[in-house]
């Protein structure tokens, strides 16, 4: 991964501005003393917030990507002179704006894939929160980053931590990367207790405040599964070089263990504004709005190995399997997860069914349909097929 020196004023196009990462990014921009300038914003359905953001930051472009919302939008509510774009394809336009040097990809889910690719193909500096792009199309994303000389900077806190820790050594000196996981709200639940957990309980994350989908992913540990695949691609690692440790306090965001036994970690309070800011300013560091460590009080840092034999941790084993197989297998894991999470949110399936469905979908795909080096079109097709397959499976389960 390469660094790029930041320019005097960094023009930023922000995709997914109305989400949790989007709002934190805006806070970082507003604390940058003018070093960062927002030239474009994209939101999907939350039009009220998008209008407020546009009034506050006055970007030249604003996009409403949900076609239904876009068809109802009243242009006069946006400030005069704002160029309003509509529909899903406007994400691509904002990802390739000539006036933007940096694109922040903060859309949730598979919907972020094409715009991440488009930003890389336009040689933008890409600050990536949308981990699903890397999970689905890791090989293509990394190839595009190299081919178009487009720096790819992780926003995900674990990967931001690994990225920073790697400054202490070379790639050939890595023994393993240790991703930390809070363990989510059900860290101490038995399998039996997990069978009846509610949506409300799953949404009550102990340390992070995030969007709905990633909060459910954190409860199932599928978020860590996605992050294993994300780390594989960002840092060019084998499955054997990736470990996960449960760290309930969420202060150590991840670590790199080097061949001599040194472990370098990055520590800060759980606040996404720090990894977002570092992705935007690195290799420089600047003061910013993120919360700081309070060293005048006692801190306890616990680390537990996840018990991979337990059913509730099987997403982690699935991710390591997917890293070994590579190809289209991670795309299937992601698509099945996105559909199953939605079914759980809608109250149609029990909690434990989410990860089980991901495992079944990957196994079925490995038996038939697996592609070792898929193209983007093939991945999109596999993603669509997996969504249909998963819906059929879960509808049958829900109606049983
Ligand atoms: P949110 O659900 O809070 O926000 C998602 C954003 O994407 C919103 O702006 C939403 O618009 C937009 N969006 C939703 N669907 C579509 C679509 N089909 N097309 C275009 N835009 C869409 O999610 P988060 O901010 O929590 O997460 C964003 C990404 O960052 C995810 O990939 C997540 O895994 C990753 N991430 C998040 C972290 C966090 O702390 N939140 C930490 C690390 C990674 P609208 O709301 O207007 O409908
Ligand atoms: Mg993370």
């Amino acid at each position: 991964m390469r660094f790029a020196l930041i320019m005097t004023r960094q023009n930023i196009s922000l995709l997914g501005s109305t989400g949790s990462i989007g709002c934190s990014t805006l806070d970082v921009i507003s604390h940058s003393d003018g070093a960062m300038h927002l030239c474009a914003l994209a939101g999907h359905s939350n039009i009220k917030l998008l209008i407020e953001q546009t009034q506050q930051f006055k970007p030249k472009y604003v996009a409403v990507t949900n076609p239904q919302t876009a068809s109802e939008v009243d242009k006069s509510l946006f400030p005069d002179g704002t160029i309003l774009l509509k529909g899903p394809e406007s994400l691509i336009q904002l990802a390739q704006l000539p006036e933007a040097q940096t694109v922040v990809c903060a859309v949730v889910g598979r919907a972020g894939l094409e715009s991440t690719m488009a930003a890389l193909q336009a040689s933008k500096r890409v600050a990536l929160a949308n981990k699903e792009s890397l999970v689905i199309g890791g090989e293509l994303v990394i190839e595009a980053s190299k081919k178009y000389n487009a720096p790819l900077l992780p926003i995900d806190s674990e990967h931001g931590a690994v990225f920073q820790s790697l400054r202490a050594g070379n790639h050939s000196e890595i023994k393993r990367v240790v991703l930390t996981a809070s363990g989510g709200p059900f860290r101490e639940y038995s399998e039996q207790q997990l069978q009846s957990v509610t949506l409300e309980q799953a949404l009550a994350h102990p340390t992070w405040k995030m969007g709905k989908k990633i909060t459910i992913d954190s409860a199932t540990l599928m978020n860590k599964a996605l992050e294993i695949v994300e780390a594989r691609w960002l840092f060019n690692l084998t499955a054997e070089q990736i470990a996960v440790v449960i760290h309930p306090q969420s202060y150590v965001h991840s670590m790199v263990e080097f061949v001599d036994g040194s472990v370098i970690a990055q520590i800060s309070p759980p606040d996404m504004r720090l990894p977002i800011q570092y992705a935007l300013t690195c290799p420089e560091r600047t003061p910013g709005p993120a919360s700081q460590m309070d060293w005048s009080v006692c801190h306890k840092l616990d680390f537990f190995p996840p018990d991979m034999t337990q059913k509730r941790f099987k997403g982690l084993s699935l991710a390591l399997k997917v890293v070994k197989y590579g190809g289209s297998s991670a795309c299937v894991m992601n698509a099945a997860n996105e559909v199953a999470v939605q079914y759980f949110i809608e109250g149609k399936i029990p909690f434990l069914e989410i990860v089980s469905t991901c495992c079944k979908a990957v196994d079925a795909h490995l038996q038939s349909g697996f592609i070792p080096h898929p193209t983007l079109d093939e991945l999109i097709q596999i993603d669509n097929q997996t969504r249909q397959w998963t819906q059929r499976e879960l509808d049958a389960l829900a109606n049983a």
Side-chain angles (χ1 to χ4, degrees):
M1 200 171 301
R2 283 140 291 137
F3 291 128
L5 283 173
I6 54 173
M7 318 79 197
T8 32
R9 190 174 82 153
Q10 192 179 182
N11 278 329
I12 297 174
S13 178
L14 172 56
L15 315 181
S17 67
T18 46
S20 160
I21 293 289
C23 293
S24 296
T25 304
L26 290 175
D27 199 29
V28 168
I29 293 172
S30 58
H31 282 83
S32 72
D33 287 334
M36 299 174 194
H37 170 74
L38 190 75
C39 58
L41 280 180
H44 193 57
S45 311
N46 190 345
I47 200 72
K48 184 170 174 284
L49 181 57
L50 191 64
I51 291 169
E52 279 169 26
Q53 292 176 337
T54 309
Q55 283 164 345
Q56 185 185 348
F57 288 88
K58 304 204 169 33
K60 185 169 168 192
Y61 300 89
V62 60
V64 181
T65 52
N66 183 333
Q68 177 67 34
T69 314
S71 68
E72 293 160 4
V73 73
D74 176 0
K75 190 175 184 304
S76 68
L77 294 172
F78 290 94
D80 282 349
T82 312
I83 300 172
L84 179 63
L85 305 173
K86 296 178 180 184
E89 56 294 335
S90 54
L91 270 189
I92 309 286
Q93 271 175 277
L94 294 196
Q96 299 196 319
L97 276 185
E99 48 267 76
Q101 292 99 21
T102 299
V103 178
V104 176
C105 297
V107 165
V108 61
R110 176 248 171 278
L113 175 64
E114 285 93 339
S115 49
T116 300
M117 287 299 287
L120 294 168
Q121 285 159 355
S123 303
K124 303 297 183 193
R125 178 183 167 106
V126 174
L128 186 70
N130 179 256
K131 63 188 82 182
E132 294 90 346
S133 328
L134 265 173
V135 173
I136 300 169
E139 191 171 17
L140 300 177
V141 170
I142 297 300
E143 260 173 34
S145 165
K146 288 184 186 148
K147 180 170 172 192
Y148 298 100
N149 204 16
L152 183 60
L153 301 146
I155 282 183
D156 214 346
S157 56
E158 295 76 0
H159 305 74
V162 171
F163 184 54
Q164 294 181 55
S165 302
L166 279 174
R167 295 183 71 178
N170 297 321
H171 187 270
S172 61
E173 295 164 347
I174 301 173
K175 183 173 177 202
R176 71 188 137 203
V177 159
V178 183
L179 301 176
T180 51
S182 70
F186 307 134
R187 186 168 56 84
E188 293 184 331
Y189 277 43
S190 67
E191 202 178 309
Q192 202 188 357
Q193 285 174 299
L194 283 178
Q195 269 160 10
S196 55
V197 295
T198 64
L199 174 62
E200 202 187 7
Q201 287 173 309
L203 286 175
H205 196 279
T207 48
W208 292 99
K209 173 127 189 46
M210 310 176 284
K212 223 176 200 179
K213 191 247 173 191
I214 185 177
T215 307
I216 302 296
D217 287 345
S218 300
T220 57
L221 288 188
M222 280 307 290
N223 182 48
K224 213 48 56 183
L226 299 173
E227 290 181 355
I228 287 174
V229 183
E230 188 184 7
R232 179 266 173 272
W233 289 113
L234 278 172
F235 308 114
N236 191 19
L237 303 170
T238 61
E240 292 70 27
Q241 284 177 306
I242 306 172
V244 172
V245 69
I246 306 294
H247 167 52
Q249 292 87 2
S250 300
Y251 274 82
V252 175
H253 294 295
S254 278
M255 308 172 255
V256 177
E257 188 176 344
F258 290 97
V259 285
D260 61 357
S262 278
V263 178
I264 307 290
Q266 186 263 329
I267 302 178
S268 53
D271 183 338
M272 285 308 295
R273 291 173 297 181
L274 181 55
I276 293 169
Q277 180 175 306
Y278 190 70
L280 295 174
T281 64
C282 79
E284 294 168 21
R285 293 183 188 273
T286 56
S291 12
Q292 314 275 308
M293 291 296 293
D294 178 359
W295 295 112
S296 67
V297 297
C298 176
H299 292 282
K300 190 165 166 272
L301 302 179
D302 294 313
F303 300 97
F304 308 101
D307 180 354
M308 306 284 266
T309 60
Q310 280 187 31
K311 198 171 167 193
R312 68 200 178 98
F313 289 115
K314 69 183 182 180
L316 302 182
S317 319
L318 175 67
L320 292 171
K321 177 166 154 180
V322 153
V323 167
K324 281 188 184 142
Y325 278 93
S328 52
S329 61
C331 168
V332 169
M333 177 177 84
N334 180 70
N337 183 54
E338 286 193 29
V339 174
V341 167
Q342 193 53 40
Y343 269 62
F344 174 69
I345 288 174
E346 290 167 12
K348 294 181 185 163
I349 58 166
F351 180 77
L352 282 176
E353 213 45 58
I354 302 175
V355 181
S356 297
T357 304
C358 296
C359 294
K360 277 187 226 155
V362 170
D363 285 344
H365 181 68
L366 290 176
Q367 277 173 21
S368 148
F370 174 74
I371 305 180
H373 298 286
T375 62
L376 190 59
D377 284 346
E378 284 169 334
L379 286 170
I380 292 170
Q381 202 184 350
I382 290 171
D383 174 88
N384 288 333
Q385 287 165 352
T386 306
R387 282 166 198 271
Q388 288 163 11
W389 181 93
T390 311
Q391 280 165 7
R392 278 197 305 274
E393 289 281 309
L394 295 182
D395 284 340
L397 184 82
N399 297 326

